[in-house]
Amino acid sequence: MKFLATYGYKGRVYPINPKHAVIAGLKCYPSVASIDGPCDVAIVAVNGAATVNVVRECGKKGIRFAVVYSSGFRETGDAGRALEADLLAAAREGGVRIIGPNCQGYLNLSERLYATFGVLGLEPDLKVGPVSTVAQSGGFGFGIVTQCESAGVGFRNLVSSGNESDVTTPDLLEAYVEDEGTKLLVGFVEGVRDGRRLMRVANRSVRAGKPLLMWKAGNSEIGKRASLSHTAALTGSYDAYRAAFRQAGIIEMRDIDEISDAVRALLPGRLPRGNRVAALGSSAGSCILFADRYAELGLEMAELAPETEAALAKVIPSYGSPRNPVDVTADVFNDLGAFTEAVDIVLSDPAVDQLAVIYAGLSGEIALTCNRAVADAVKKHGKPVMLGWTARRHRAEAAYKLVDEEQIPYFTSPVRLANAAAVLARFAQYRQRATRRTSPFDERDVNFDATLPTKSGALSEAESKAVLARWGVPVTRDSLVPVGQDAPKLGAGFRFPLVVKVASSDIPHKTEAGGVILGVRNAEEIAKAAEEVVRRARAYAPKAQIEGALVCEMIDDAVEMLAGVVRDPVFGPMVTLGMGGIQAEVLRDLAYRVAPFDEETAREMIGELRGAALLRGFRKRPPADVDALAQFLARLSHIAWALRGRLVELDINPLMVRPRGKGVVAADALVVLRESDGSKVVSETALMEEEK
Amino acid sequence: MKFLATYGYKGRVYPINPKHAVIAGLKCYPSVASIDGPCDVAIVAVNGAATVNVVRECGKKGIRFAVVYSSGFRETGDAGRALEADLLAAAREGGVRIIGPNCQGYLNLSERLYATFGVLGLEPDLKVGPVSTVAQSGGFGFGIVTQCESAGVGFRNLVSSGNESDVTTPDLLEAYVEDEGTKLLVGFVEGVRDGRRLMRVANRSVRAGKPLLMWKAGNSEIGKRASLSHTAALTGSYDAYRAAFRQAGIIEMRDIDEISDAVRALLPGRLPRGNRVAALGSSAGSCILFADRYAELGLEMAELAPETEAALAKVIPSYGSPRNPVDVTADVFNDLGAFTEAVDIVLSDPAVDQLAVIYAGLSGEIALTCNRAVADAVKKHGKPVMLGWTARRHRAEAAYKLVDEEQIPYFTSPVRLANAAAVLARFAQYRQRATRRTSPFDERDVNFDATLPTKSGALSEAESKAVLARWGVPVTRDSLVPVGQDAPKLGAGFRFPLVVKVASSDIPHKTEAGGVILGVRNAEEIAKAAEEVVRRARAYAPKAQIEGALVCEMIDDAVEMLAGVVRDPVFGPMVTLGMGGIQAEVLRDLAYRVAPFDEETAREMIGELRGAALLRGFRKRPPADVDALAQFLARLSHIAWALRGRLVELDINPLMVRPRGKGVVAADALVVLRESDGSKVVSETALMEEEK
């Protein structure tokens, strides 16, 4: 109340409490019904059980929004869960939207509205700016705000969303995308309920040129357990969140300083055209650290043109270096013309998308002159330039003032500068990607539902492969030898050596069961091998139902991978891709994407694998058919989306990626279905359409 | 000069310049010879070419130390390199030790001695404390100091070592280990010349209880290139540095904030007994982030005893959590007795080695009371407690003062707090390890030199395996079928199926050449396979000299790994270990250690592999013989050290690690030797002895 009454909020405030006549100098009302004027928002700070009635009264009074601080809801167990349902029902009934419960309120700094009991209430002079935030955990979320503000960031809307019974993080982010005064969004979540909604909002935000930074907590096993026990937020897998963030253009944050650095890098709104950065500094040590870090982030230092290097060599001392990272040496500060010229030369090179200037502790008049040169160069070239600069503020007041006014960001270590440069590059890439219309994969005329058998549960290898074949996915040719029968005559496609595998949907890991014999060389060996795998499988799993043995062609020119479809509780069907083989499985070299997606996304996914080098051709092996792999993944993602009503799991392992031009082949597959619920399966690429 | 003359240094200062009579108010001398009193150190700031003479004069005058600021030496190319050699010769001749050239001088804050022209000269009021530093790059190194000082760190000796022509980083670190006033060492290097010297000094430092933090730059390709072009520091591989750091107990740093955080965590000198940390906080969000990060660092959150959880449940609200991370909720601040009790309960649990208390923005009187409770608990339990605390200083002056005085470190984010807790745990582990005497592997009586043939270059597989066998390393049994001859009768040890491989020291990658046939089932097939691999190898490498085909036993119960010996230019012989197979090779899942080392180190090395899970038994496979693997690696490391005069490279690929109790077997090996130089090969474990 004190904050609302004394921090300069211009709207009317109605304290409500039957026990008092005046609160914080304002007339106090005995009930919601008794207030004598229009009201937009109710701040509810009664005990948990009393909230239901209060919200009902708000509905009757026509108050459209309520912020419920009170706790005692789902975070406390089943009784609280029931109370939360009652609260929500009361809200819906009266047409009231709720923020919370179990939240620390919100602040609208441009209106000087402090509706919070949290730590930010103590800070009436918070810097106003274009950053809006939402945090499920008010305590920590507001802590982030305090610290970012100390680093010079200004804020606009700050919401603690608590249990998100009604209004959710994506709702609030969407409001920020629509709010003209918000230029940058920050979210701190333990989880969201509707992952796809978050992705759509993020996509809109990126297209609107508003970066969305998110920090997701509760990713370790123990962190997840703690998270579940406290807010009962639905936490999907961290892998799924990270994939979704990349896919939707959300920039993932992992510490507070990272947030303030990213905000300061992004707010000026100058974006590089590509990833290539040049560094120019007076301390070679700093330049090297910058280059180390930028490379570690998987990004590219610009390769300067020979003419650029020649021109630089003329203006910097011989013991400097005209190669990127450019070491101009501390000597250039004795001849500031040389510094100015060097900056201009580097920025003129078309291979340079952005420039990092590293001064170390430069102070006083020299710093001012250098900063002015940088500011002029930014205007001339229109490329982003950021500074690595550690001067103490009081030794370079005027120089700091200049770059603050010109919105040239500076960072206190070359490592943080490199991180910030990478954030700029990444957002630029997200923005280009989001505004480029990709043609969605059009499968509206295919009824994928018809490709599935009506049964549910795990299908056998043969059944699973038949499904893939109906989807148009190449599968290894194979022929079933039923138990106790002779091998049928093999078709023309089979060439020795062959593979003989046990056929049983009860034995998903055939190799472990001894159920795979490689290198079968002739018809006679087929019969022997077929008997043998069945015998071994029976010994391994006596209760398994065994159909017989599968005789398959052997593919020996491929890179073995694995691909599949999993269902994440938050993001729904996702496609996975990984390197195959037992070791790669143990190393968990896997990439994920939310289905459906296009080929470009599939390529990003492939590029994320540490083992991707194998696809480029290893030793004397030819490069693998990455085009076909990308097409396959995009197609699989659309099928996964279309069949989301029935497909529980799909596992293709190994997926053979053959040399360029020869495509991919599924050598083994496992499809798990659930019963059809009779509802119409959506066969168009609904999500992607929605996004357009 | 100004700094020396006016910052309160008590010693005498003799300016020398023939053109002036007085400098900075002090009598100026025309030459080194003309000064009229004893002198400890000469600061040399003449141009590069003139330094040789000045240092010679210092020698004559009996000045034992010279700090050479001047540049124009090896960093500029061959002429500079020659000049540097002259400088060093002049110094040696006159018995002068040199710091630099191409450095920014040094500071001894306890004596108020500012012998520098760098940025630190502008800061006469640098905080004095027990941290001493050495940085090759003065510009950046001193920048680190400025920023750490802003974070509250006090310093003692600060040296910019430049080209390290004479006095090196390890020399300076060694002096700091001996300096009583120094409690913590920080180094910033692009490279060192004698890696083993650095390791020995680090080992001494750890045993003296003085943590050594190091930041190594120039690790990316481009960073390394830039580093070579500017100081011409010798840069070994980053993998080697990281391994050596871990092995010697050096804590690796990767950003400035990391350094100031680590220093603040370590300086109070309270170390945990183990890795297990408990977190206790009022904001669940922060606790979760702490747990996420600590887990990500591969460390263990303490599992609280049931009695501990039960006791906690009595003092914290029902919507909190008594499990670690313990969520005491913000409510405990209404009943500070509960907070005090909760802290005491957690610290009483013997499973808790250290505690992280997370307050978020707690301020004012409450913060003071809580901090007092924490300080009392630290005294009572003797376990380290650190705070996650974001209150603005002016809102909690007294509370900050208390923890500053009590040396209880605090950090501004739960992520940084977790990093700091991990640093404490790591140093505690390093310290325990360094003070525990491990019995060195004693091979003094074995003349390993006699195990090697006199020839040099790459040995064939058979020759290489013979060498391994003489070392006592099990190798797969094999039998040579010379070109054009019949297969000899196989001994009793051979069981079908077998492997047939081409035998040629000119073909190191046999599989690529088609030179390996697996699963050979009978004597008749041996002859065919032997012919076939020779034929394929000839087609693959027509000029290769081919001895014939090797018939080898096939091992199918093992985890395939690879092991070897490489020579690092800085650290000398190192042992490598990795997961085998083409994919693991591409994923570069490798660990390194400087030879020689003990079994415990070998176990750490094994544990670093991402694929180590495979050794623990994957699916239904039995656990692998990790004991035998560790013994093998330690033994190999001693042999590598003993044979360092001749062994250029050793590559065992695959190294078969069989199930527990069955040991390891080298299935293929490549030994590369250089010519014996006739010198006595050191066969004792010299390095480890030196360290004792």
Side-chain angles (χ1 to χ4, degrees), chain A residues 149 254 296 392 512 619, chain B residues 149 254 296 512 619:
Chain A
E149 202 236 6
R254 290 164 52 84
E296 195 182 332
R392 298 199 168 175
E512 235 176 270
R619 290 192 181 150
Chain B
E149 202 236 6
R254 291 163 52 82
E296 197 182 331
E512 236 176 86
R619 290 192 180 150

Side-chain angles (χ1 to χ4, degrees), chain A residues 122 147 149 218 220 225 254-255 257 292 296 323 392 395 412-413 416 512 580 583 585 619, chain B residues 122 147 149 218 220 225 254-255 257 292 296 323 392 395 412-413 416 512 580 583 585 619:
Chain A
L122 300 172
Q147 284 182 73
E149 202 236 6
S220 62
R225 185 186 81 186
R254 290 164 52 84
D255 202 353
D257 297 330
D292 282 350
E296 195 182 332
R323 296 186 74 176
R392 298 199 168 175
R395 301 210 176 279
T412 52
S413 92
R416 289 171 70 165
E512 235 176 270
Q583 287 172 345
E585 234 174 286
R619 290 192 181 150
Chain B
L122 299 171
Q147 285 181 74
E149 202 236 6
S220 63
R225 185 185 81 185
R254 291 163 52 82
D255 203 353
D257 297 331
D292 281 351
E296 197 182 331
R323 295 185 75 178
R392 298 199 169 175
R395 301 209 177 280
T412 51
S413 92
R416 289 171 70 164
E512 236 176 86
Q583 287 171 344
E585 233 175 288
R619 290 192 180 150

Side-chain angles (χ1 to χ4, degrees), chain B residues 333-384:
Chain B
F333 300 132
N334 301 326
D335 170 13
L336 293 175
F339 172 80
T340 306
E341 216 176 319
V343 168
D344 187 60
I345 293 168
V346 173
L347 283 172
S348 301
D349 192 318
V352 173
D353 297 319
Q354 65 168 314
L355 174 64
V357 173
I358 307 174
Y359 287 152
L362 202 66
S363 62
E365 198 58 40
I366 305 179
L368 179 61
T369 311
C370 288
N371 282 358
R372 193 168 292 129
V374 167
D376 291 344
V378 167
K379 278 177 202 142
K380 177 177 168 192
H381 294 279
K383 295 179 181 178

Side-chain angles (χ1 to χ4, degrees), chain A residues 122-125 146 150, chain B residues 363-364 391-398 400:
Chain A
L122 300 172
E123 308 291 345
D125 300 317
T146 327
S150 300
Chain B
S363 62
R392 298 199 169 175
R393 193 130 201 148
H394 65 277
R395 301 209 177 280
E397 283 291 2
Y400 273 109

Side-chain angles (χ1 to χ4, degrees), chain B residues 311-613:
Chain B
L312 282 170
K314 282 184 200 148
V315 298
I316 61 182
S318 65
Y319 61 95
S321 165
R323 295 185 75 178
N324 186 18
V326 178
D327 177 7
V328 294
T329 83
D331 265 15
V332 295
F333 300 132
N334 301 326
D335 170 13
L336 293 175
F339 172 80
T340 306
E341 216 176 319
V343 168
D344 187 60
I345 293 168
V346 173
L347 283 172
S348 301
D349 192 318
V352 173
D353 297 319
Q354 65 168 314
L355 174 64
V357 173
I358 307 174
Y359 287 152
L362 202 66
S363 62
E365 198 58 40
I366 305 179
L368 179 61
T369 311
C370 288
N371 282 358
R372 193 168 292 129
V374 167
D376 291 344
V378 167
K379 278 177 202 142
K380 177 177 168 192
H381 294 279
K383 295 179 181 178
V385 180
M386 305 202 288
L387 308 179
W389 191 23
T390 60
R392 298 199 169 175
R393 193 130 201 148
H394 65 277
R395 301 209 177 280
E397 283 291 2
Y400 273 109
K401 189 157 171 285
L402 177 86
V403 287
D404 282 340
E405 282 169 6
E406 300 284 348
Q407 292 207 67
I408 293 169
Y410 45 87
F411 303 91
T412 51
S413 92
V415 177
R416 289 171 70 164
L417 176 59
N419 290 341
V423 165
L424 272 197
R426 198 168 311 138
F427 183 66
Q429 187 204 334
Y430 285 158
R431 183 125 204 241
Q432 285 161 17
R433 194 179 66 181
T435 49
R436 198 166 51 222
R437 285 188 68 96
T438 57
S439 70
F441 188 94
D442 201 336
E443 293 278 357
R444 249 167 280 202
D445 49 348
V446 181
N447 181 1
F448 281 108
D449 204 28
T451 62
L452 300 181
T454 50
K455 71 193 259 192
S456 63
L459 306 187
S460 70
E461 177 179 345
E463 290 166 335
S464 298
K465 278 175 158 176
V467 167
L468 291 183
R470 285 194 287 273
W471 293 346
V473 176
V475 295
T476 47
R477 238 177 293 256
D478 48 33
S479 167
L480 183 69
V481 185
V483 173
Q485 296 187 25
D486 285 347
K489 197 167 153 43
L490 295 171
F494 288 90
R495 286 199 207 304
F496 291 103
L498 297 168
V499 184
V500 174
K501 302 190 274 194
V502 66
S504 162
S505 43
D506 296 341
I507 302 180
H509 296 298
K510 302 179 186 70
T511 308
E512 236 176 86
V516 180
I517 293 179
L518 299 171
V520 172
R521 299 171 203 216
N522 52 50
E524 190 184 318
E525 277 187 32
I526 290 178
K528 265 204 267 176
E531 263 175 53
E532 178 67 13
V533 294
V534 170
R535 193 188 60 70
R536 290 187 197 162
R538 286 216 169 106
Y540 176 84
K543 289 182 185 163
Q545 200 170 358
I546 294 172
E547 300 166 47
L550 273 186
V551 181
C552 310
E553 48 178 337
M554 206 168 135
I555 295 174
D556 57 6
D557 62 356
V559 176
E560 272 192 43
M561 301 189 73
L562 52 91
V565 176
V566 292
R567 297 184 67 84
D568 184 82
V570 169
F571 293 95
M574 302 191 70
V575 171
T576 59
L577 175 72
M579 301 311 299
I582 196 168
Q583 287 171 344
E585 233 175 288
V586 168
L587 299 178
R588 290 195 55 72
D589 188 16
L590 295 166
Y592 300 81
R593 282 297 181 278
V594 177
F597 51 79
D598 58 13
E599 279 178 39
E600 193 187 339
T601 304
R603 278 174 207 282
E604 286 171 12
M605 189 180 182
I606 296 165
E608 272 173 27
L609 295 174
R610 293 192 300 264

Side-chain angles (χ1 to χ4, degrees), chain A residues 14 46-47 53 64 188 201 287 379 392 397 413 467 551 662 681:
Chain A
Y14 311 94
V46 299
N47 78 55
N53 227 355
R64 291 282 148 260
F188 175 67
V201 171
C287 286
K379 277 177 202 142
R392 298 199 168 175
E397 283 292 2
S413 92
V467 168
V551 181
K662 297 192 169 174
V681 169

